[in-house]
Amino acid sequence: MPMQQGEVLKNFPQAMEQRQFQVYFQPQVDFARREFVGAEALVRWIRPRAGMLQPSAFVPCLESGGLITQLDFYVWEEVCRFMQAWRADPQMPALQSVSVNVSRCDIRGENFCARLAAILERYGLPAGALHLEVTESACAQEGPKLLETCRQLREMGFVLEMDDFGSGYSSLNMLGELPFDVVKLDKGFVDRCTCGERGRLLLGAVIDMLRQLELGMVAEGVESRGQAEFLAAHGCPVQQGYYFSRPVPAAAFCEMLRRPATG
Ligand code: C2E
Ligand code: MG
Ligand code: MG
């Protein structure tokens, strides 16, 4: 059953205390090399007796209620805890990085960069272990504070990813102006390669442009072998989507990493 905003905010403190939020991981695969190259951390709210809630049911409520930053720092700490354990496990293949979602509200907060750096230090991880995803609409709307924070984070060694590129607010100027390392092609964009010749031409041209700008790329929402092949053939081999795996709990993700990537 969906929850109203008031209910989300009311239940949040107890849910945090009882550790009802769980981090799921969705692998990112280099389709050309058939290799896992990273993962995205995606939060779920596992409510006792009431079932699992997807982020769309509570992240926007927490953003408007001013509580998202508390959850995000918890998620990042969980991710660092898992990464530290994986790095110490000789059975686990090296996983260079995990991408986490950063809300625009997080960036507006005080001491954001210092707090983030402190978590990585506590777990003995380099800044490059976390890739920070900021959605393109935040990039388009947030103004100079976002730009300044992104520059600072990058100087500290974090890798910055523009999430949901092509989902509606993108301005090509933004790509030239903002200090991003990686662009995540939105599912809507990826779907164009199965929607006729014009869609394919557009997607191919965007990939080409990103390559010439020397930006990294991850395609999101890849659901079929045809999409994966098209993207790889046009220069975007790093991909994420149900075709490879849905987001799964940490234990299942570990199992998956121990097996070779499929597809
Ligand atoms: P996002 O960051 O763009 O994450 C990608 C979303 O696409 C995820 O939805 C993922 O499960 C879904 N997805 C992945 N592959 C496929 C596919 O092949 N087909 C389809 N149809 N969907 C696919 P999810 O987990 O429901 O997350 C939704 C959004 O909630 C995320 O979009 C992100 O903006 C936000 N979010 C998730 N976790 C967090 C978090 O810890 N903190 C914050 N601030 N936001 C989060
Ligand atoms: Mg994301
Ligand atoms: Mg996205």
Side-chain angles (χ1 to χ4, degrees):
M1 254 238 299
M3 275 202 272
Q4 301 295 321
Q5 165 149 16
E7 225 183 319
V8 168
L9 300 182
K10 185 168 78 88
N11 288 316
F12 179 75
Q14 194 188 27
M16 282 292 283
E17 210 174 290
Q18 298 180 350
R19 301 175 64 85
Q20 290 175 13
F21 292 99
Q22 270 188 33
V23 181
Y24 277 40
F25 294 86
Q26 187 177 35
Q28 295 173 339
V29 172
D30 184 326
F31 182 71
R33 301 159 71 107
R34 303 293 198 270
E35 257 175 30
F36 289 116
V37 291
E40 178 172 4
L42 294 155
V43 71
R44 268 90 183 100
W45 185 346
I46 318 280
R47 296 172 305 160
R49 295 176 303 279
M52 181 161 93
L53 282 183
Q54 302 293 325
S56 58
F58 59 89
V59 165
C61 300
L62 294 176
E63 281 181 327
S64 49
L67 293 173
I68 190 66
T69 301
Q70 200 187 334
L71 177 62
D72 280 343
F73 270 102
Y74 173 80
V75 167
W76 304 336
E77 177 131 17
E78 285 287 281
V79 169
C80 288
R81 192 166 65 80
F82 284 124
M83 287 192 89
Q84 186 190 47
W86 294 336
R87 285 181 178 215
D89 180 349
Q91 306 281 312
M92 279 288 279
L95 184 73
Q96 297 307 325
S97 65
V98 172
S99 301
V100 296
N101 290 287
V102 177
S103 162
R104 67 188 70 195
C105 311
D106 302 335
I107 289 178
R108 288 189 206 130
E110 285 302 302
N111 294 329
F112 173 73
C113 300
R115 284 181 69 192
L116 190 55
I119 297 182
L120 283 128
E121 205 179 308
R122 199 165 337 125
Y123 288 88
L125 295 167
L130 278 196
H131 289 197
L132 308 176
E133 295 192 5
V134 183
T135 185
E136 99 177 341
S137 62
C139 297
Q141 293 160 0
E142 279 299 295
K145 166 89 170 140
L146 180 116
L147 184 67
E148 187 196 307
T149 308
C150 288
R151 284 220 178 94
Q152 202 181 334
L153 290 166
R154 217 164 166 224
E155 269 168 32
M156 293 161 76
F158 290 100
V159 172
L160 291 183
E161 305 193 342
M162 188 182 294
D163 203 357
D164 310 319
F165 181 74
S167 63
Y169 296 85
S170 38
S171 130
L172 295 181
N173 284 331
M174 226 158 64
L175 288 178
E177 286 162 6
L178 292 175
F180 278 75
D181 306 281
V182 176
V183 169
K184 294 195 77 174
L185 296 174
D186 188 65
K187 179 177 183 332
F189 230 142
V190 167
D191 285 342
R192 285 172 196 255
C193 67
T194 38
C195 293
E197 191 53 23
R198 287 177 78 85
R200 279 191 288 279
L201 282 171
L202 183 64
L203 183 58
V206 167
I207 293 172
D208 237 28
M209 175 187 72
L210 294 174
R211 250 204 331 212
Q212 286 181 42
L213 289 169
E214 297 182 340
L215 286 162
M217 272 172 272
V218 180
E220 283 195 281
V222 176
E223 290 186 345
S224 69
R225 187 181 183 95
Q227 290 178 333
E229 281 171 349
F230 178 91
L231 287 158
H234 287 79
C236 182
V238 180
Q239 303 171 11
Q240 179 185 340
Y242 294 171
Y243 176 61
F244 303 101
S245 167
R246 289 189 176 247
V248 294
F253 179 68
C254 280
E255 279 312 301
M256 203 186 303
L257 274 197
R258 292 197 176 105
R259 297 194 311 263
T262 53

